[in-house]
Amino acid sequence: MKIQKAAVIGAGVMGAAIAAQLANAGIPVTLLDIVLPDNPDRNFLARSGVQRALKARPAAFMDPARAALIQVGNLEDDLKKLKDADWIIEAIIEKLDAKRDLWARVEAVAKKTAIISSNSSGIPMHLQIEGRSEDFQRRFVGAHFFNPPRYLHLLEVIPTPKTDPEVVKTFSEFAETTLGKGIVVANDVPGFVANRIGVYGIVRAMDHMQRAGLTPAQVDQLTGPALGRASSATFRTADLSGLDIIYHVASDLGKATPDDEDFTLTPAFRALVEDKKWLGDKTGSGFYKKTKDEKGKTKILNLNLDTFEYEDQGKVKVAAVEAVKGQPLAARVKALYAAEGKEGDFLRGVMNDGFWYAAKMAGNVSNRLQDIDNALKWGFGWEQGPFETMDTLGVQTVIANLEAEGRTLPPLLAAMKASGRDAFYQGGEIVTPEGQPTPYEAPYFILTDLKKDATKIVKKRAGASVIDLGDGVLLAEWHAKMNALGEDQLRTVQDAHKLVQDMGYHGLVIGNQGENFSAGANLPLILSQAQADEWDELDDMIKQFQQVTTSLRFSPHPTVAAPFGMTLGGGAEFTLHADHVVASAELYMGLVEVGVGLIPGGGGTKEMLLRFTDMQQPSQRLGATLLPAVQRAFELIGTAKVSTSALEARNLGFLRDTDTVAMNKNHILQDAKRQVLALAPGYVQPTPRQDIPVMGDAAIGAIKSALHGMHEGGYITDYDLVVSEQLAKVLSGGTGNNRAAKVSEGHLLDLEREAFLTLLGKKGTQQRIEHMLKTGKPLRN
């Protein structure tokens, strides 16, 4: 069965956000809620839910226009509309009786093939459907989203003993591919997977922190990115989630698991919630508190748990964290686990608690170890799950440490000790909760796994590699810091093109699985060369950059780009020149060079002019009628506009209507490979355009007039004016051209390079670059 229409019942924070994500995926959805007494708008709650989602920050909708896919209604007048839904999910109040009553009403109207789900995070799924027909129970499966649903990858799918396995399979495939979620199949037990283990970790961290005499800020340094975990770490995450939520979830889990004392909250935590009512961000005070100094600048104060007063502790530095900066994750984890002093004691205590509890929960919360790892990675932002981390440290080392602490080993670890096996994941296998090896296949295509086969690495440089993806497709992979574009990245793309031709491959993918596709050019290198007056070298470098970006369009084989996350500056220029783009829905793409006093120099300026000119009717591509296209390109580049999603990137013109948007970032490399194979048969090498209409001096005059008005009005700075005039010159096709002139792509690229180098030689641009490198923020000079 295919899910083509959906319904969400409950328009609160979660329900409205789930509806928004369905709309993001292009699924028409009906959103229903109760009728408020004495309110003339019977759909008020559902309508308000959509409006709240439209105003949400971070944005719930990838494109506000997608809100039109949501039809609002109420449970009294519109329940019959559920008959059209292929999937129905509730997100109402967390009360068992209310859910049971709702399911009785839903069963009376829903079609017999509809999949039914609850988003409950605390009420067991099997209890909700007691009294329902066998057919209804067969089609019921829990679907626990994490908030906000657009951004948190995890979706826990919770079958009951009555759920048809085919329903689990169909729904999981829909949620993974169409909604873009990472699927973890959880058992119908208290807390499911992520909250059961994640909240346990927060509770235990609080206890170990006070034993070690550390502060929340110090703990967040130790349990954040240094350990391969989210930047919000432990206590910032608690503030964001709400200390009351942690309090209630921990208390409920403690009651639901009476054989454990794992969820006992410390007196200090209880005092924060019960006495102080300091619940985190929602009350303005938690483990941290935002305030402003006398100059109005925001400051973060840290809670002193001895005095319950907030203190300005300045920038907190932790010696153990400072010692591992710049090291790979595996090296950091090993060093932190072995650290000395109270910091090391704290980390070993917290990590060992986490290892012991994850092993104890194997076979309880889920029947697969990889589901536990993925739940923590996708729900809490960890780079490695607990079993993957134990593999990094060596499982036998962890077991020895647990035994040295006097702990009784859970059955899984006892089995690992008996077998002598030192890794859960090994040689295409993973162990079961009983400790038996079983074949393992990753849930999606993972480059690091592919590269374990050395024959797949066709060529490697320090910052980039050429990888054989199989089936006759190569990948040019960047793997430098922020994937900044320098010589390694450019030469690797050139290598890849040559290898495709010399070795008979079908085509090339440009992509990677780093944190971002590319944050743009290597600014420190560019600045240092400019300050050393190495202008010939810079000119050659920009020529090479243009040759490599345009090679994606003008090679004798298809090239497909797979951008995601930050795709800025040069990263955007590579994407613009590909034959086809498979973009992650979460795409933050823009030509942002004006922020550092430059213009796009790798064909980006040329490409946007071409795109907007081509969008016009042929009769409009002449003389003054070209001006709207020139102005559109000027505004997009001149304001350094960055898309907030792939859907917006398409609206802005960065993506074409024919490009592909993938909701699941983890699928884009495989999808890009398929696109190469689809384009390869009969592929004809394009040739550069020679007949691009430009306006010349007329467009320059029109733009300059508008610019000077903005300058006089104080809307742009003195140096904004300098940069904008260079941009106008390129978009106009250069000075001296008349309204009916036509130029080549090569001519526009020459103008780009000239403008780029001219600006780079100016003090104002160098000041902007220096300021960006120092502060991460643009300078308005």
Side-chain angles (χ1 to χ4, degrees):
M1 157 185 187
K2 192 172 182 180
I3 297 175
Q4 296 177 306
K5 294 182 179 180
V8 179
I9 302 173
V13 172
M14 279 301 294
I18 292 168
Q21 184 66 0
L22 280 157
N24 289 335
I27 302 293
V29 55
T30 300
L31 179 62
L32 305 181
D33 210 315
I34 62 172
V35 176
L36 286 180
D38 305 321
N39 192 316
D41 182 0
R42 294 176 65 79
N43 299 336
F44 175 78
L45 287 178
R47 201 182 316 281
S48 297
V50 175
Q51 292 304 310
R52 189 187 319 109
L54 281 165
K55 295 174 183 175
R57 293 294 178 270
F61 286 100
M62 295 177 180
D63 178 355
R66 288 291 170 106
L69 287 171
I70 302 177
Q71 180 186 24
V72 299
N74 67 77
L75 286 166
E76 292 183 16
D77 305 326
D78 303 305
L79 196 66
K80 58 185 179 295
K81 292 180 179 178
L82 297 181
K83 66 181 177 59
D84 296 323
D86 302 308
W87 176 45
I88 300 168
I89 181 170
E90 68 81 19
I92 65 170
I93 190 170
E94 287 285 79
K95 291 186 177 180
L96 179 58
D97 289 345
K99 293 183 188 292
R100 283 177 169 171
D101 289 346
L102 175 65
W103 294 136
R105 297 176 67 191
V106 167
E107 184 174 14
V109 295
K111 61 183 178 182
K112 299 302 181 184
T113 56
I115 295 173
I116 315 294
S117 297
S118 169
N119 180 58
S120 176
S121 61
I123 299 178
M125 300 299 164
H126 66 277
L127 294 181
Q128 296 186 39
I129 54 174
E130 286 183 354
R132 303 274 52 80
S133 69
E134 286 190 13
D135 179 64
F136 186 94
Q137 293 183 357
R138 181 182 61 81
R139 292 180 286 114
F140 185 91
V141 60
H144 180 218
F145 287 83
F146 278 64
N147 191 34
R150 173 182 167 183
Y151 299 98
L152 285 186
H153 191 52
L154 177 62
L155 175 64
E156 292 178 324
V157 174
I158 309 110
T160 74
K162 300 290 184 68
T163 307
D164 185 338
E166 196 61 32
V167 168
V168 177
K169 180 175 181 291
T170 298
F171 176 70
S172 296
E173 289 174 353
F174 164 77
E176 181 178 9
T177 303
T178 304
L179 297 184
K181 309 314 299 177
I183 304 303
V184 162
V185 178
N187 293 333
D188 193 11
V189 296
F192 309 130
V193 181
N195 281 342
R196 180 73 169 264
I197 295 174
V199 171
Y200 170 85
I202 292 174
V203 170
R204 298 304 304 143
M206 182 79 176
D207 183 65
H208 283 291
M209 174 183 68
Q210 294 190 266
R211 289 174 187 268
L214 297 173
T215 68
Q218 289 172 322
V219 167
D220 279 353
Q221 287 285 310
L222 288 163
T223 60
L227 201 60
R229 300 185 182 179
S231 58
S232 56
T234 300
F235 295 111
R236 182 74 190 108
T237 295
D239 275 1
L240 288 167
S241 302
L243 304 193
D244 54 332
I245 302 298
I246 303 294
Y247 175 93
H248 290 301
V249 171
S251 299
D252 290 345
L253 285 171
K255 293 173 186 174
T257 56
D259 295 335
D260 292 335
E261 293 184 2
D262 303 318
F263 294 94
T264 303
L265 293 161
T266 64
F269 196 109
R270 299 183 70 89
L272 279 174
V273 176
E274 296 172 357
D275 303 332
K276 298 291 187 179
K277 311 297 184 188
W278 293 345
L279 308 180
D281 282 15
K282 66 178 70 177
T283 61
S285 301
F287 288 104
Y288 301 97
K289 181 179 182 178
K290 281 185 181 180
T291 186
K292 292 187 182 294
D293 61 19
E294 60 278 1
K295 295 181 180 179
K297 187 177 180 180
T298 300
K299 292 175 64 176
I300 305 295
L301 301 180
N302 305 319
L303 180 64
N304 183 321
L305 285 165
D306 294 324
T307 65
F308 278 87
E309 293 181 354
Y310 289 96
E311 301 172 349
D312 183 0
Q313 297 177 4
K315 188 171 183 179
V316 175
K317 288 191 175 183
V318 175
V321 174
E322 295 297 310
V324 299
K325 276 190 173 179
Q327 296 182 23
L329 177 61
R332 298 199 308 269
V333 169
K334 289 177 181 178
L336 289 169
Y337 190 64
E340 297 181 352
K342 62 181 182 180
E343 296 166 0
D345 292 341
F346 165 81
L347 274 173
R348 278 184 295 281
V350 168
M351 292 172 75
N352 285 340
D353 274 351
F355 298 149
W356 175 83
Y357 195 67
K360 182 180 178 183
M361 290 297 101
N364 182 333
V365 296
S366 178
N367 298 326
R368 305 190 312 170
L369 270 59
Q370 60 264 42
D371 280 334
I372 294 175
D373 277 342
N374 288 334
L376 274 298
K377 290 192 291 186
W378 297 339
F380 284 83
W382 294 14
E383 289 185 54
Q384 292 183 329
F387 297 107
E388 292 169 320
T389 305
M390 282 190 268
D391 280 1
T392 295
L393 295 169
V395 175
Q396 297 303 324
T397 298
V398 172
I399 288 171
N401 283 340
L402 291 174
E403 289 186 318
E405 292 179 357
R407 297 176 188 254
T408 300
L409 295 179
L412 170 59
L413 293 182
M416 292 292 285
K417 180 183 178 182
S419 71
R421 187 179 174 114
D422 204 32
F424 296 102
Y425 299 82
Q426 185 176 303
E429 293 180 331
I430 188 172
V431 301
T432 66
E434 295 74 35
Q436 297 300 312
T438 187
Y440 170 71
E441 188 172 326
Y444 56 88
F445 180 82
I446 299 175
L447 272 178
T448 51
D449 288 348
L450 180 71
K451 290 188 290 185
K452 290 175 182 175
D453 179 354
T455 65
K456 296 295 185 182
I457 305 173
V458 183
K459 190 152 190 173
K460 184 173 184 179
R461 298 176 187 271
S465 302
V466 180
I467 309 299
D468 187 340
L469 294 180
D471 300 317
V473 178
L474 288 183
L475 168 74
E477 178 204 12
W478 302 326
H479 43 71
K481 183 177 180 181
M482 298 294 287
N483 283 327
L485 300 173
E487 185 175 358
D488 274 3
Q489 290 70 39
L490 301 184
R491 290 196 179 280
T492 296
V493 174
Q494 291 174 318
D495 293 340
H497 281 309
K498 188 173 188 305
L499 287 163
V500 169
Q501 292 306 117
D502 291 350
M503 300 181 69
Y505 284 89
H506 296 304
L508 176 65
V509 173
I510 308 291
N512 62 81
Q513 289 182 331
E515 289 187 22
N516 296 285
F517 180 71
S518 173
N522 187 333
L523 284 178
L525 174 62
I526 291 172
L527 179 62
S528 67
Q529 287 185 297
Q531 291 176 335
D533 289 329
E534 296 175 353
W535 298 107
D536 289 341
E537 290 85 350
L538 279 164
D539 187 42
D540 289 342
M541 185 176 72
I542 304 305
K543 281 181 183 176
Q544 183 196 21
F545 187 56
Q546 291 179 339
Q547 289 166 0
V548 177
T549 56
T550 56
S551 72
L552 272 63
R553 176 79 43 80
F554 303 120
S555 291
H557 51 260
T559 306
V560 176
F564 61 94
M566 285 198 295
T567 302
L568 305 176
E573 290 176 300
F574 268 98
T575 302
L576 290 169
H577 285 92
D579 289 307
H580 188 86
V581 178
V582 177
S584 166
E586 297 299 339
L587 179 68
Y588 311 114
M589 182 174 177
L591 296 166
V592 296
E593 287 84 352
V594 296
V596 289
L598 296 167
I599 71 160
T605 309
K606 174 265 303 181
E607 190 63 22
M608 298 320 300
L609 177 65
L610 273 176
R611 290 194 177 198
F612 296 144
T613 300
D614 288 346
M615 287 178 186
Q616 293 184 306
Q617 296 298 321
S619 61
Q620 297 175 311
R621 298 176 193 168
L622 188 66
T625 54
L626 275 175
L627 190 58
V630 176
Q631 289 172 324
R632 184 177 176 188
F634 180 85
E635 182 180 352
L636 184 69
I637 299 169
T639 59
K641 179 69 175 176
V642 176
S643 70
T644 58
S645 70
L647 300 184
E648 188 182 17
R650 180 175 282 160
N651 293 339
L652 292 172
F654 291 133
L655 298 182
R656 298 158 293 202
D657 290 341
T658 53
D659 289 331
T660 303
V661 173
M663 290 294 287
N664 196 322
K665 168 190 164 185
N666 294 329
H667 291 181
I668 61 175
L669 288 184
Q670 281 292 83
D671 289 350
K673 175 182 167 181
R674 281 192 285 269
Q675 287 292 338
V676 168
L677 294 173
L679 290 168
Y683 182 80
V684 177
Q685 179 177 351
T687 56
R689 299 267 294 272
Q690 305 295 325
D691 60 346
I692 303 163
V694 294
M695 287 185 65
D697 292 333
I700 292 174
I703 293 173
K704 277 188 174 181
S705 176
L707 284 172
H708 283 283
M710 295 172 68
H711 183 252
E712 288 295 317
Y715 296 105
I716 61 175
T717 68
D718 292 346
Y719 203 69
D720 288 336
L721 189 61
V722 173
V723 178
S724 297
E725 287 180 349
Q726 288 292 328
L727 176 60
K729 187 186 296 184
V730 179
L731 291 171
S732 303
T735 58
N737 286 314
N738 61 40
R739 291 171 182 264
K742 292 189 177 181
V743 301
S744 67
E745 288 191 55
H747 175 76
L748 292 175
L749 289 170
D750 288 342
L751 289 175
E752 275 191 23
R753 190 171 68 256
E754 178 186 338
F756 189 95
L757 292 170
T758 298
L759 289 168
L760 190 54
K762 294 183 180 296
K763 184 178 179 181
T765 290
Q766 293 183 19
Q767 288 174 334
R768 285 192 175 192
I769 296 174
E770 287 175 335
H771 190 268
M772 178 64 74
L773 292 174
K774 186 176 181 180
T775 69
K777 297 177 182 178
L779 173 68
R780 297 296 307 279
N781 55 346

